[in-house]
Amino acid sequence: MKNKGAVISTIVIASVAVILALIWALILSARVVNPTAKIYQDGKLIKTIDLTAVAEPYSFEITGEHGANTIEVRKGEIGIIAADCPDKVCINTGFIGGGAIPIICLPHRLEIRIESGEEALDGVAR
Amino acid sequence: MKRIMLFFAAFLLLLCGCNSAPTTKTVYAMGTVMTAELYGGSEALLNEAFAEVEALEKITSAKLNESELSALNRNGGGKMSATLSEIIEKSLYYAKLTGGAFDPTLGKIINLWAIGTDNARIPTEAELSPLKGLKSYQNIKISDNNISFDNTLSALDLGAIVKGFAGDRMKEMLTESGVKSAILDLGGSITLIGDKNGSPWRVGITDPSNTGRVIAKLMLKDKSVVTSGDYERFLEVDGVRYHHIIDGETAYPADSGLRSATIIADSAANADALSTACFVLGKDKALELIESIQGTECVLITEALEIITSSGIDSNNFEVLNEK
Protein backbone atom coordinates (compact mmCIF):
# COMPACT_ATOMS: atom_id res chain seq x y z
CA MET A 1 0.00 0.00 0.00
CA LYS A 2 2.83 2.31 0.93
CA ASN A 3 4.65 1.42 -2.32
CA LYS A 4 1.54 2.15 -4.35
CA GLY A 5 1.31 5.58 -2.73
CA ALA A 6 4.95 6.29 -3.56
CA VAL A 7 4.42 5.31 -7.21
CA ILE A 8 1.38 7.58 -7.49
CA SER A 9 3.28 10.39 -5.85
CA THR A 10 6.20 9.96 -8.29
CA ILE A 11 3.85 9.93 -11.27
CA VAL A 12 2.17 13.12 -10.04
CA ILE A 13 5.54 14.84 -9.49
CA ALA A 14 6.72 13.79 -12.97
CA SER A 15 3.49 15.08 -14.53
CA VAL A 16 3.73 18.38 -12.68
CA ALA A 17 7.39 18.68 -13.77
CA VAL A 18 6.45 18.19 -17.43
CA ILE A 19 3.62 20.72 -17.20
CA LEU A 20 5.84 23.27 -15.47
CA ALA A 21 8.60 22.72 -18.03
CA LEU A 22 6.08 23.46 -20.78
CA ILE A 23 4.94 26.62 -18.98
CA TRP A 24 8.57 27.69 -18.59
CA ALA A 25 9.24 27.11 -22.29
CA LEU A 26 6.22 29.24 -23.13
CA ILE A 27 7.42 32.03 -20.84
CA LEU A 28 10.90 31.95 -22.39
CA SER A 29 9.54 32.00 -25.93
CA ALA A 30 7.29 34.92 -25.02
CA ARG A 31 10.37 36.88 -23.93
CA VAL A 32 11.93 36.72 -27.42
CA VAL A 33 10.70 39.79 -29.24
CA ASN A 34 11.28 41.16 -32.70
CA PRO A 35 14.28 43.52 -32.85
CA THR A 36 12.74 46.78 -31.74
CA ALA A 37 14.37 50.20 -31.78
CA LYS A 38 13.59 52.37 -28.79
CA ILE A 39 14.33 56.07 -29.11
CA TYR A 40 14.91 58.06 -25.93
CA GLN A 41 15.13 61.83 -25.58
CA ASP A 42 16.38 63.24 -22.30
CA GLY A 43 16.05 59.71 -20.88
CA LYS A 44 12.36 59.38 -21.83
CA LEU A 45 11.09 56.83 -24.35
CA ILE A 46 9.57 58.80 -27.23
CA LYS A 47 9.29 56.26 -30.06
CA THR A 48 9.32 52.49 -30.56
CA ILE A 49 9.88 50.92 -33.98
CA ASP A 50 9.57 47.22 -34.85
CA LEU A 51 12.52 46.83 -37.24
CA THR A 52 11.17 43.62 -38.78
CA ALA A 53 8.00 45.41 -39.93
CA VAL A 54 9.81 47.92 -42.17
CA ALA A 55 8.74 47.41 -45.77
CA GLU A 56 10.60 50.35 -47.33
CA PRO A 57 13.39 52.47 -45.82
CA TYR A 58 12.19 55.80 -44.50
CA SER A 59 13.55 58.69 -42.51
CA PHE A 60 12.23 61.25 -40.06
CA GLU A 61 13.56 64.08 -37.96
CA ILE A 62 13.55 64.39 -34.20
CA THR A 63 13.92 67.91 -32.91
CA GLY A 64 14.52 68.74 -29.29
CA GLU A 65 15.63 71.73 -27.29
CA HIS A 66 19.28 70.80 -27.94
CA GLY A 67 19.05 70.26 -31.74
CA ALA A 68 17.83 68.02 -34.54
CA ASN A 69 18.70 64.49 -35.72
CA THR A 70 17.55 62.76 -38.89
CA ILE A 71 16.93 59.06 -38.36
CA GLU A 72 16.78 56.47 -41.11
CA VAL A 73 14.98 53.19 -40.60
CA ARG A 74 15.69 50.17 -42.78
CA LYS A 75 14.52 46.59 -42.48
CA GLY A 76 16.35 45.23 -39.42
CA GLU A 77 18.44 48.32 -38.71
CA ILE A 78 18.35 51.97 -37.76
CA GLY A 79 20.82 54.82 -37.81
CA ILE A 80 21.26 58.58 -37.59
CA ILE A 81 22.14 60.03 -40.99
CA ALA A 82 22.22 63.75 -40.19
CA ALA A 83 22.54 65.89 -37.08
CA ASP A 84 23.45 69.46 -36.22
CA CYS A 85 25.50 68.37 -33.20
CA PRO A 86 29.19 69.32 -33.08
CA ASP A 87 30.82 65.90 -32.73
CA LYS A 88 28.74 63.70 -35.12
CA VAL A 89 29.48 60.67 -32.93
CA CYS A 90 25.87 59.57 -33.49
CA ILE A 91 26.30 59.49 -37.28
CA ASN A 92 29.71 57.84 -37.02
CA THR A 93 28.22 54.97 -35.00
CA GLY A 94 26.49 53.85 -38.20
CA PHE A 95 23.48 51.55 -38.35
CA ILE A 96 22.60 49.15 -35.56
CA GLY A 97 20.29 46.18 -35.65
CA GLY A 98 21.05 44.24 -32.50
CA GLY A 99 23.57 43.68 -29.78
CA ALA A 100 24.19 46.01 -26.89
CA ILE A 101 25.66 49.01 -28.72
CA PRO A 102 23.39 52.04 -28.61
CA ILE A 103 23.52 55.10 -30.86
CA ILE A 104 24.03 58.11 -28.66
CA CYS A 105 23.87 61.78 -29.57
CA LEU A 106 25.14 63.23 -26.35
CA PRO A 107 24.78 66.93 -27.24
CA HIS A 108 21.12 66.35 -28.14
CA ARG A 109 20.44 63.90 -25.26
CA LEU A 110 19.17 61.37 -27.83
CA GLU A 111 19.64 57.61 -27.61
CA ILE A 112 18.59 54.71 -29.78
CA ARG A 113 18.72 51.25 -28.25
CA ILE A 114 17.77 47.92 -29.76
CA GLU A 115 15.75 45.41 -27.81
CA SER A 116 15.98 42.05 -29.50
CA GLY A 117 15.28 39.55 -26.76
CA GLU A 118 18.56 37.80 -27.61
CA GLU A 119 20.41 39.35 -24.69
CA ALA A 120 23.71 38.14 -26.14
CA LEU A 121 25.70 40.82 -24.30
CA ASP A 122 25.33 42.62 -21.01
CA GLY A 123 27.43 45.62 -22.02
CA VAL A 124 29.92 46.87 -24.59
CA ALA A 125 33.28 48.51 -23.91
CA ARG A 126 33.91 51.33 -26.35
CA MET B 1 1.58 15.72 -1.18
CA LYS B 2 4.16 17.56 0.90
CA ARG B 3 6.84 16.63 -1.65
CA ILE B 4 4.70 17.95 -4.49
CA MET B 5 4.13 21.22 -2.70
CA LEU B 6 7.84 21.57 -1.94
CA PHE B 7 8.74 20.87 -5.55
CA PHE B 8 6.20 23.41 -6.76
CA ALA B 9 7.46 26.05 -4.30
CA ALA B 10 11.07 25.48 -5.40
CA PHE B 11 10.04 25.86 -9.03
CA LEU B 12 8.23 29.12 -8.34
CA LEU B 13 11.23 30.45 -6.46
CA LEU B 14 13.48 29.57 -9.41
CA LEU B 15 11.08 31.24 -11.80
CA CYS B 16 10.95 34.41 -9.71
CA GLY B 17 14.75 34.49 -9.55
CA CYS B 18 15.08 34.26 -13.33
CA ASN B 19 12.53 36.96 -13.93
CA SER B 20 13.82 39.48 -11.37
CA ALA B 21 14.26 42.67 -13.34
CA PRO B 22 17.27 44.84 -12.54
CA THR B 23 16.97 48.35 -11.19
CA THR B 24 18.32 50.61 -13.94
CA LYS B 25 19.13 54.26 -14.27
CA THR B 26 20.66 56.39 -17.02
CA VAL B 27 22.24 59.79 -16.46
CA TYR B 28 24.26 62.29 -18.50
CA ALA B 29 27.47 63.11 -16.68
CA MET B 30 31.15 63.70 -17.46
CA GLY B 31 30.26 64.41 -21.08
CA THR B 32 28.80 60.97 -21.67
CA VAL B 33 25.85 58.68 -21.04
CA MET B 34 26.07 56.50 -17.95
CA THR B 35 23.85 53.51 -17.26
CA ALA B 36 23.75 51.22 -14.26
CA GLU B 37 21.89 47.94 -13.80
CA LEU B 38 21.58 46.62 -10.28
CA TYR B 39 20.36 43.17 -9.38
CA GLY B 40 19.16 43.41 -5.81
CA GLY B 41 19.51 47.10 -5.06
CA SER B 42 17.16 50.04 -4.76
CA GLU B 43 16.72 53.06 -7.00
CA ALA B 44 17.59 55.30 -4.04
CA LEU B 45 20.95 53.59 -3.82
CA LEU B 46 21.58 54.15 -7.53
CA ASN B 47 20.63 57.82 -7.17
CA GLU B 48 23.12 58.12 -4.35
CA ALA B 49 25.85 56.46 -6.43
CA PHE B 50 25.23 58.73 -9.43
CA ALA B 51 25.16 61.77 -7.14
CA GLU B 52 28.71 60.80 -6.21
CA VAL B 53 29.66 60.79 -9.91
CA GLU B 54 28.15 64.24 -10.41
CA ALA B 55 30.03 65.52 -7.38
CA LEU B 56 33.25 64.06 -8.83
CA GLU B 57 32.62 65.85 -12.11
CA LYS B 58 32.30 69.19 -10.32
CA ILE B 59 35.72 68.61 -8.76
CA THR B 60 37.64 67.12 -11.68
CA SER B 61 36.25 68.59 -14.89
CA ALA B 62 38.67 70.59 -17.00
CA LYS B 63 35.67 71.98 -18.91
CA LEU B 64 33.80 73.50 -15.97
CA ASN B 65 35.26 76.88 -15.03
CA GLU B 66 34.09 76.54 -11.45
CA SER B 67 35.68 73.10 -10.88
CA GLU B 68 38.52 72.59 -8.44
CA LEU B 69 40.74 71.37 -11.28
CA SER B 70 40.08 74.49 -13.38
CA ALA B 71 41.11 76.65 -10.42
CA LEU B 72 44.39 74.73 -10.16
CA ASN B 73 44.99 75.21 -13.89
CA ARG B 74 44.30 78.95 -13.64
CA ASN B 75 46.61 79.39 -10.65
CA GLY B 76 49.35 76.87 -11.45
CA GLY B 77 48.43 74.90 -8.35
CA GLY B 78 46.87 75.31 -4.94
CA LYS B 79 45.32 73.23 -2.20
CA MET B 80 43.61 70.02 -3.29
CA SER B 81 40.66 68.21 -1.76
CA ALA B 82 41.34 64.62 -0.67
CA THR B 83 39.43 63.30 -3.71
CA LEU B 84 41.31 65.39 -6.26
CA SER B 85 44.60 64.60 -4.56
CA GLU B 86 43.87 60.87 -4.81
CA ILE B 87 43.08 61.06 -8.55
CA ILE B 88 46.11 63.23 -9.35
CA GLU B 89 48.46 60.99 -7.34
CA LYS B 90 47.14 57.94 -9.21
CA SER B 91 47.50 59.76 -12.53
CA LEU B 92 51.10 60.66 -11.79
CA TYR B 93 51.81 57.05 -10.80
CA TYR B 94 50.58 55.85 -14.20
CA ALA B 95 52.34 58.67 -16.04
CA LYS B 96 55.65 57.53 -14.53
CA LEU B 97 54.90 53.83 -15.01
CA THR B 98 54.12 54.33 -18.71
CA GLY B 99 56.91 56.84 -19.44
CA GLY B 100 54.32 59.51 -20.24
CA ALA B 101 52.21 57.44 -22.65
CA PHE B 102 49.45 58.27 -20.19
CA ASP B 103 49.99 61.91 -19.24
CA PRO B 104 47.53 63.99 -17.19
CA THR B 105 49.33 67.24 -18.06
CA LEU B 106 48.36 67.48 -21.75
CA GLY B 107 45.47 69.89 -21.14
CA LYS B 108 46.86 72.68 -23.30
CA ILE B 109 47.30 70.38 -26.31
CA ILE B 110 43.85 68.83 -25.80
CA ASN B 111 42.31 72.31 -25.67
CA LEU B 112 44.03 73.34 -28.91
CA TRP B 113 42.64 70.33 -30.80
CA ALA B 114 39.25 70.64 -29.04
CA ILE B 115 38.11 67.38 -30.63
CA GLY B 116 34.45 66.60 -29.97
CA THR B 117 33.52 70.27 -29.64
CA ASP B 118 32.35 73.04 -31.99
CA ASN B 119 35.89 74.42 -31.95
CA ALA B 120 37.68 71.28 -33.17
CA ARG B 121 40.53 72.13 -35.57
CA ILE B 122 44.07 71.19 -36.50
CA PRO B 123 46.36 73.44 -34.46
CA THR B 124 49.26 75.13 -36.23
CA GLU B 125 52.80 73.89 -35.90
CA ALA B 126 53.68 77.15 -34.13
CA GLU B 127 51.05 76.41 -31.51
CA LEU B 128 52.03 72.77 -30.98
CA SER B 129 55.79 73.00 -31.20
CA PRO B 130 56.43 74.49 -27.72
CA LEU B 131 54.17 71.85 -26.13
CA LYS B 132 55.75 68.70 -27.64
CA GLY B 133 57.59 66.15 -25.52
CA LEU B 134 57.53 68.21 -22.34
CA LYS B 135 56.62 65.34 -19.97
CA SER B 136 55.35 68.00 -17.59
CA TYR B 137 54.10 65.34 -15.17
CA GLN B 138 57.73 65.02 -14.05
CA ASN B 139 57.78 68.63 -12.86
CA ILE B 140 54.63 68.58 -10.74
CA LYS B 141 55.35 69.23 -7.09
CA ILE B 142 53.05 67.87 -4.39
CA SER B 143 53.48 68.54 -0.71
CA ASP B 144 50.76 67.43 1.69
CA ASN B 145 47.62 68.46 -0.18
CA ASN B 146 49.26 71.28 -2.12
CA ILE B 147 50.22 71.02 -5.75
CA SER B 148 52.20 73.35 -7.99
CA PHE B 149 53.15 73.27 -11.66
CA ASP B 150 54.10 75.58 -14.52
CA ASN B 151 50.76 76.49 -16.07
CA THR B 152 52.27 78.43 -18.95
CA LEU B 153 53.00 75.24 -20.89
CA SER B 154 50.88 72.59 -19.21
CA ALA B 155 47.40 72.09 -17.80
CA LEU B 156 45.91 69.18 -15.93
CA ASP B 157 43.30 67.12 -17.79
CA LEU B 158 42.05 64.00 -16.01
CA GLY B 159 39.64 62.93 -18.75
CA ALA B 160 41.59 59.73 -19.41
CA ILE B 161 41.17 58.40 -15.86
CA VAL B 162 38.24 60.07 -14.15
CA LYS B 163 35.47 57.91 -15.61
CA GLY B 164 37.33 54.87 -14.34
CA PHE B 165 37.74 56.51 -10.96
CA ALA B 166 33.98 57.18 -10.93
CA GLY B 167 33.35 53.50 -11.71
CA ASP B 168 35.52 52.46 -8.77
CA ARG B 169 33.73 54.91 -6.46
CA MET B 170 30.31 53.64 -7.52
CA LYS B 171 31.39 50.02 -7.11
CA GLU B 172 32.78 50.71 -3.64
CA MET B 173 29.62 52.49 -2.55
CA LEU B 174 27.27 49.83 -3.95
CA THR B 175 29.18 46.83 -2.57
CA GLU B 176 29.38 48.47 0.85
CA SER B 177 25.59 48.75 0.69
CA GLY B 178 25.30 45.03 0.03
CA VAL B 179 24.93 44.95 -3.78
CA LYS B 180 26.35 41.68 -5.09
CA SER B 181 25.46 41.90 -8.76
CA ALA B 182 25.58 44.95 -11.04
CA ILE B 183 26.94 46.28 -14.31
CA LEU B 184 27.95 49.93 -14.56
CA ASP B 185 28.44 51.41 -18.01
CA LEU B 186 30.03 54.83 -17.67
CA GLY B 187 30.23 55.96 -21.27
CA GLY B 188 31.51 52.59 -22.43
CA SER B 189 33.82 52.04 -19.45
CA ILE B 190 32.37 48.91 -17.88
CA THR B 191 32.57 48.03 -14.19
CA LEU B 192 31.20 44.70 -13.03
CA ILE B 193 30.08 43.80 -9.54
CA GLY B 194 30.01 40.07 -8.87
CA ASP B 195 28.37 37.90 -11.52
CA LYS B 196 25.00 37.65 -13.25
CA ASN B 197 22.85 34.90 -11.76
CA GLY B 198 25.96 32.81 -11.15
CA SER B 199 27.31 33.22 -14.69
CA PRO B 200 29.97 35.60 -15.97
CA TRP B 201 28.92 38.93 -17.44
CA ARG B 202 29.24 39.11 -21.23
CA VAL B 203 31.03 42.27 -22.30
CA GLY B 204 31.48 43.07 -25.98
CA ILE B 205 34.44 44.90 -27.49
CA THR B 206 33.49 47.40 -30.19
CA ASP B 207 34.57 46.62 -33.75
CA PRO B 208 36.73 49.65 -34.68
CA SER B 209 35.84 49.23 -38.36
CA ASN B 210 32.09 49.22 -37.70
CA THR B 211 31.21 50.73 -34.36
CA GLY B 212 27.63 49.52 -34.57
CA ARG B 213 28.77 45.96 -33.85
CA VAL B 214 31.15 44.06 -31.62
CA ILE B 215 34.27 42.19 -32.69
CA ALA B 216 34.75 40.02 -29.61
CA LYS B 217 33.23 39.10 -26.29
CA LEU B 218 34.71 38.82 -22.79
CA MET B 219 33.17 36.64 -20.08
CA LEU B 220 34.11 38.13 -16.71
CA LYS B 221 33.13 38.43 -13.07
CA ASP B 222 33.82 41.40 -10.80
CA LYS B 223 36.25 43.13 -13.18
CA SER B 224 36.45 46.41 -15.05
CA VAL B 225 36.81 46.70 -18.81
CA VAL B 226 37.91 49.94 -20.46
CA THR B 227 38.63 50.57 -24.13
CA SER B 228 40.47 53.45 -25.76
CA GLY B 229 39.80 53.67 -29.48
CA ASP B 230 40.20 56.06 -32.37
CA TYR B 231 36.57 55.83 -33.47
CA GLU B 232 34.51 57.58 -30.80
CA ARG B 233 35.55 61.20 -31.03
CA PHE B 234 37.45 62.53 -33.98
CA LEU B 235 37.83 65.37 -36.42
CA GLU B 236 37.92 64.63 -40.15
CA VAL B 237 39.70 67.07 -42.46
CA ASP B 238 40.27 66.34 -46.16
CA GLY B 239 39.55 62.66 -45.57
CA VAL B 240 42.11 62.39 -42.74
CA ARG B 241 40.84 61.36 -39.34
CA TYR B 242 42.26 63.04 -36.24
CA HIS B 243 41.11 61.21 -33.11
CA HIS B 244 41.12 62.45 -29.52
CA ILE B 245 43.92 60.38 -27.91
CA ILE B 246 46.95 62.65 -27.88
CA ASP B 247 50.56 61.47 -27.81
CA GLY B 248 52.49 63.99 -25.70
CA GLU B 249 55.67 63.31 -27.68
CA THR B 250 54.19 64.60 -30.95
CA ALA B 251 51.28 66.70 -29.64
CA TYR B 252 49.29 64.91 -32.38
CA PRO B 253 46.75 62.09 -32.13
CA ALA B 254 48.63 58.89 -31.30
CA ASP B 255 49.68 56.92 -34.37
CA SER B 256 50.88 53.62 -32.94
CA GLY B 257 49.23 51.21 -35.34
CA LEU B 258 46.41 50.35 -32.93
CA ARG B 259 42.72 51.05 -33.50
CA SER B 260 41.81 50.18 -29.93
CA ALA B 261 43.24 48.98 -26.63
CA THR B 262 40.99 47.23 -24.11
CA ILE B 263 42.19 46.66 -20.58
CA ILE B 264 40.69 44.24 -18.05
CA ALA B 265 41.61 44.98 -14.43
CA ASP B 266 40.24 44.94 -10.91
CA SER B 267 40.14 48.75 -10.83
CA ALA B 268 38.40 50.79 -13.53
CA ALA B 269 40.69 53.76 -12.89
CA ASN B 270 43.74 51.58 -13.51
CA ALA B 271 42.13 50.10 -16.62
CA ASP B 272 41.23 53.60 -17.85
CA ALA B 273 44.76 54.99 -17.50
CA LEU B 274 46.32 51.85 -18.96
CA SER B 275 43.99 51.73 -21.98
CA THR B 276 45.12 55.22 -23.01
CA ALA B 277 48.77 54.34 -22.36
CA CYS B 278 48.56 51.10 -24.36
CA PHE B 279 46.86 52.86 -27.27
CA VAL B 280 49.71 55.39 -27.39
CA LEU B 281 52.46 52.78 -26.89
CA GLY B 282 51.45 50.41 -29.69
CA LYS B 283 51.15 46.63 -29.55
CA ASP B 284 54.66 45.50 -28.57
CA LYS B 285 55.25 47.95 -25.73
CA ALA B 286 51.63 47.68 -24.60
CA LEU B 287 51.84 43.90 -24.33
CA GLU B 288 55.13 44.15 -22.45
CA LEU B 289 53.57 46.66 -20.04
CA ILE B 290 50.42 44.64 -19.38
CA GLU B 291 52.32 41.38 -18.88
CA SER B 292 54.32 43.14 -16.17
CA ILE B 293 51.21 44.09 -14.16
CA GLN B 294 49.65 41.28 -12.15
CA GLY B 295 45.91 40.70 -12.55
CA THR B 296 45.66 42.93 -15.62
CA GLU B 297 44.96 41.77 -19.17
CA CYS B 298 44.53 43.39 -22.57
CA VAL B 299 42.92 42.94 -25.95
CA LEU B 300 44.59 45.05 -28.65
CA ILE B 301 43.17 45.59 -32.13
CA THR B 302 45.52 46.77 -34.86
CA GLU B 303 44.84 48.85 -37.96
CA ALA B 304 44.66 45.57 -39.91
CA LEU B 305 42.02 44.42 -37.34
CA GLU B 306 44.39 41.79 -36.00
CA ILE B 307 43.39 40.90 -32.43
CA ILE B 308 46.24 40.52 -29.95
CA THR B 309 45.62 39.32 -26.39
CA SER B 310 47.73 39.08 -23.25
CA SER B 311 48.58 35.72 -21.66
CA GLY B 312 45.60 35.61 -19.28
CA ILE B 313 43.03 35.85 -22.08
CA ASP B 314 41.85 32.46 -23.33
CA SER B 315 38.78 30.58 -24.53
CA ASN B 316 37.37 30.54 -20.99
CA ASN B 317 37.01 34.31 -20.90
CA PHE B 318 37.20 35.47 -24.52
CA GLU B 319 35.54 34.77 -27.84
CA VAL B 320 36.10 36.41 -31.22
CA LEU B 321 32.75 37.17 -32.86
CA ASN B 322 33.48 39.04 -36.06
CA GLU B 323 37.11 38.63 -37.05
CA LYS B 324 38.12 40.12 -40.38
Side-chain angles (χ1 to χ4, degrees):
Chain A
M1 200 63 179
K2 221 174 183 180
N3 279 348
K4 197 179 173 189
V7 169
I8 291 170
S9 171
T10 307
I11 290 169
V12 171
I13 289 175
S15 307
V16 170
V18 169
I19 291 165
L20 291 180
L22 285 171
I23 293 170
W24 196 334
L26 277 172
I27 289 169
L28 287 178
S29 64
R31 279 192 203 163
V32 178
V33 294
N34 289 338
T36 304
K38 294 196 164 181
I39 303 175
Y40 299 84
Q41 195 174 43
D42 281 319
K44 286 181 190 148
L45 181 65
I46 58 165
K47 202 173 177 66
T48 300
I49 302 164
D50 180 352
L51 296 178
T52 56
V54 180
E56 288 291 324
Y58 65 94
S59 63
F60 58 92
E61 190 175 270
I62 291 183
T63 307
E65 61 174 296
H66 308 290
N69 300 71
T70 305
I71 293 166
E72 185 169 307
V73 184
R74 303 173 186 161
K75 192 169 182 63
E77 58 181 11
I78 187 167
I80 294 179
I81 55 169
D84 56 10
C85 59
D87 57 19
K88 309 287 188 258
V89 167
C90 55
I91 299 171
N92 295 331
T93 303
F95 279 72
I96 58 170
I101 297 179
I103 298 174
I104 295 170
C105 182
L106 192 65
H108 294 174
R109 302 283 195 264
L110 192 78
E111 282 175 72
I112 306 175
R113 292 183 181 272
I114 303 292
E115 206 170 83
S116 65
E118 291 172 5
E119 295 180 18
L121 293 169
D122 300 304
V124 176
R126 58 181 196 278
Chain B
M1 195 50 152
K2 202 186 260 179
R3 282 161 68 190
I4 296 171
M5 293 299 284
L6 275 172
F7 177 79
F8 195 64
F11 180 82
L12 283 178
L13 270 176
L14 189 65
L15 207 59
C16 290
C18 289
N19 276 331
S20 62
T23 305
T24 63
K25 186 176 172 71
T26 298
V27 302
Y28 293 89
M30 294 184 174
T32 190
V33 180
M34 301 185 168
T35 303
E37 277 187 21
L38 249 65
Y39 291 81
S42 67
E43 197 177 336
L45 192 59
L46 259 186
N47 290 341
E48 205 182 315
F50 275 125
E52 180 77 7
V53 174
E54 281 158 13
L56 254 181
E57 184 179 15
K58 284 177 185 158
I59 295 170
T60 60
S61 173
K63 293 184 178 72
L64 296 174
N65 278 333
E66 64 275 20
S67 75
E68 199 183 324
L69 188 80
S70 293
L72 295 183
N73 281 334
R74 276 193 299 275
N75 303 324
K79 196 170 172 58
M80 297 179 288
S81 63
T83 299
L84 188 57
S85 174
E86 190 183 344
I87 302 174
I88 290 177
E89 297 260 16
K90 192 180 265 279
S91 297
L92 295 177
Y93 169 80
Y94 278 105
K96 284 167 192 160
L97 181 75
T98 64
F102 167 83
D103 186 345
T105 64
L106 301 180
K108 294 228 180 249
I109 303 172
I110 292 167
N111 289 342
L112 282 172
W113 283 93
I115 289 170
T117 75
D118 280 332
N119 306 318
R121 67 181 177 92
I122 304 170
T124 64
E125 190 54 34
E127 288 173 312
L128 292 178
S129 188
L131 306 176
K132 283 180 189 174
L134 293 179
K135 293 189 189 292
S136 298
Y137 65 89
Q138 293 174 328
N139 304 321
I140 286 184
K141 292 181 179 64
I142 295 180
S143 170
D144 296 325
N145 278 332
N146 286 294
I147 184 170
S148 65
F149 55 93
D150 178 2
N151 65 350
T152 56
L153 291 173
S154 64
L156 291 167
D157 189 308
L158 304 173
I161 194 170
V162 78
K163 272 193 294 171
F165 193 86
D168 287 343
R169 271 286 170 93
M170 283 184 80
K171 183 173 182 172
E172 192 183 338
M173 180 182 277
L174 294 170
T175 48
E176 277 175 5
S177 300
V179 172
K180 291 188 168 52
S181 176
I183 179 165
L184 316 175
D185 177 350
L186 307 192
S189 297
I190 308 290
T191 295
L192 308 171
I193 297 177
D195 55 35
K196 187 183 183 184
N197 292 326
S199 299
W201 297 96
R202 299 153 302 180
V203 179
I205 296 174
T206 301
D207 181 346
S209 68
N210 179 351
T211 56
R213 66 180 196 173
V214 296
I215 197 166
K217 177 172 76 170
L218 290 155
M219 287 78 81
L220 302 165
K221 295 179 180 179
D222 213 38
K223 291 277 183 184
S224 288
V225 185
V226 182
T227 297
S228 287
D230 66 1
Y231 44 80
E232 273 260 299
R233 279 183 287 148
F234 57 84
L235 163 72
E236 207 162 270
V237 179
D238 298 331
V240 180
R241 185 181 282 205
Y242 300 89
H243 62 78
H244 72 293
I245 305 169
I246 301 295
D247 180 349
E249 283 300 313
T250 61
Y252 257 70
D255 184 18
S256 68
L258 291 180
R259 297 281 330 258
S260 78
T262 298
I263 306 297
I264 302 101
D266 290 328
S267 152
N270 297 355
D272 208 356
L274 286 169
S275 69
T276 301
C278 286
F279 186 91
V280 172
L281 288 170
K283 66 175 183 180
D284 295 335
K285 287 180 182 170
L287 258 186
E288 194 183 331
L289 172 68
I290 296 305
E291 295 293 1
S292 73
I293 305 172
Q294 207 178 3
T296 301
E297 303 297 338
C298 69
V299 177
L300 310 172
I301 301 175
T302 67
E303 282 170 354
L305 298 184
E306 182 191 2
I307 299 174
I308 298 152
T309 59
S310 56
S311 57
I313 300 288
D314 56 34
S315 58
N316 293 314
N317 54 26
F318 182 72
E319 185 186 335
V320 174
L321 300 173
N322 290 304
E323 197 168 21
K324 287 288 169 78

